[in-house]
Amino acid sequence: MTLRGLLVDYGGVLTTDVFASFDAFCAREGLPAGTVRDLFRTDPAARALLGGLEDGSLPDAEFEAGFAALLGVAPEGLIERLLGATTADVAMLDFVRAARGRGIRTGLISNSWGSQRYDRILLDELFDGIVISGEVGVRKPDPAIYVLGAAAIGLPPQECVYVDDLPGNLKPARELGMTTVRHRTPDETLQILEACLAGAAA
């Protein structure tokens, strides 16, 4: 089946590595490297806070207060401090823009970190469909969000390729019939996507 749709994650795909930003935060705050990552992976309270932030059920300020208490740091501006070392990945943005320009349907499926972290003008330029977890009340890896993502660009899942930096977010997409690409570096991802989408549009 010809792949006609490109669905991508935001943080860590259209931006630089989120986990590197977490470690930059740890260095600034005097915390051991890996502290943020390990809390999200292993601590039930941290995971619950993240889940609430991502599905929109927990206000930004409540997440910041709760997670700051776990870290032992000040809560003010915590989301921005955690993500502040990420920057736009120009190569990835350019590829999505070019793909849309040649007729490939493009969409975003993003677990949101607060309500104000997206450049909406840019997103409207890049994407035919946008699904942000905090706005739809469901977060990856719930299969429902991938169904919403495919529907947002008007294609069945089987005609979409989905890109994410987290393997756990790829499995449900793959089980729905999407072709999946784990993002590690822009060069590797773009080479794979070029091959996947070569026949998608003239």
Side-chain angles (χ1 to χ4, degrees), residues 143-187:
I145 199 168
Y146 306 93
V147 174
L148 290 173
I153 62 171
L155 293 174
Q158 295 83 0
E159 294 185 19
C160 300
V161 56
Y162 175 62
V163 184
D164 202 299
D165 59 318
L166 299 180
N169 288 342
L170 294 171
K171 183 179 178 182
R174 193 161 51 246
E175 290 174 348
L176 287 169
M178 292 183 182
T179 297
T180 59
V181 177
R182 183 182 178 188
H183 179 73
R184 296 181 178 86
T185 69
D187 286 348

Side-chain angles (χ1 to χ4, degrees), residues 26 31 45 48 68 78 102-103 132 148 150 152 155-156:
C26 290
L31 299 170
L78 182 59
R102 72 180 210 245
I132 294 173
L148 290 173
L155 293 174

